[in-house]
Amino acid sequence: MNDPTLAMGGPIPLLDNISTHLEMLPVKTTIDRPEETLHRAKIAAAQRKTTLKDLVIVGLTHAMESSPEALEIKRRERAEMLSAALSAGRNSSPVGRLRRAELYERPA
């Protein structure tokens, strides 16, 4: 009986909750970068009325979502949405003959 949660009658909800929230805590990281890059990033953050930290987070998130796998998943999702939209809009009966003026008629 090495598992302390079993000795107490099961999982400890408080510890489960804490471990879930620990994953969301910020982590400090040092990144070596060219001085010009930092200068341009600070200007971009100021122009967007945001912080350098938020700009870096947005950039990293975008870079991760731009992986070949992520792009392929997004492409498939768009293709499925297009296919569903086309299927929903199918019209099996003809609408009849239209004159050119009716096709391009604009509401007054």
Side-chain angles (χ1 to χ4, degrees), residues 2-106:
N2 294 338
D3 188 354
T5 61
L6 294 178
M8 297 180 179
I12 304 169
L14 179 62
L15 291 179
D16 290 341
N17 195 17
I18 290 172
S19 66
T20 301
H21 291 290
L22 284 176
E23 294 172 5
M24 299 182 341
L25 289 176
V27 177
K28 293 188 181 223
T29 304
T30 302
I31 300 173
D32 293 328
R33 77 294 173 245
E35 192 63 35
E36 176 63 22
T37 303
L38 177 63
H39 180 70
R40 289 176 45 215
K42 285 181 178 181
I43 291 171
Q47 288 172 339
R48 297 174 187 183
K49 296 182 177 155
T50 188
T51 63
L52 183 59
K53 172 185 163 185
D54 287 343
L55 187 66
V56 169
I57 291 170
V58 168
L60 288 172
T61 303
H62 177 73
M64 289 182 295
E65 291 173 353
S66 298
S67 71
E69 297 83 15
L71 292 173
E72 178 63 20
I73 290 169
K74 285 183 181 180
R75 186 196 65 76
R76 286 184 184 171
E77 288 172 352
R78 286 192 311 268
E80 288 173 9
M81 288 173 47
L82 177 60
S83 178
L86 290 172
S87 295
R90 288 206 172 121
N91 186 356
S92 59
S93 61
V95 294
R97 204 158 168 85
L98 296 174
R99 296 186 322 249
R100 183 176 180 91
E102 292 174 318
L103 288 173
Y104 297 101
E105 204 170 75
R106 308 239 163 127

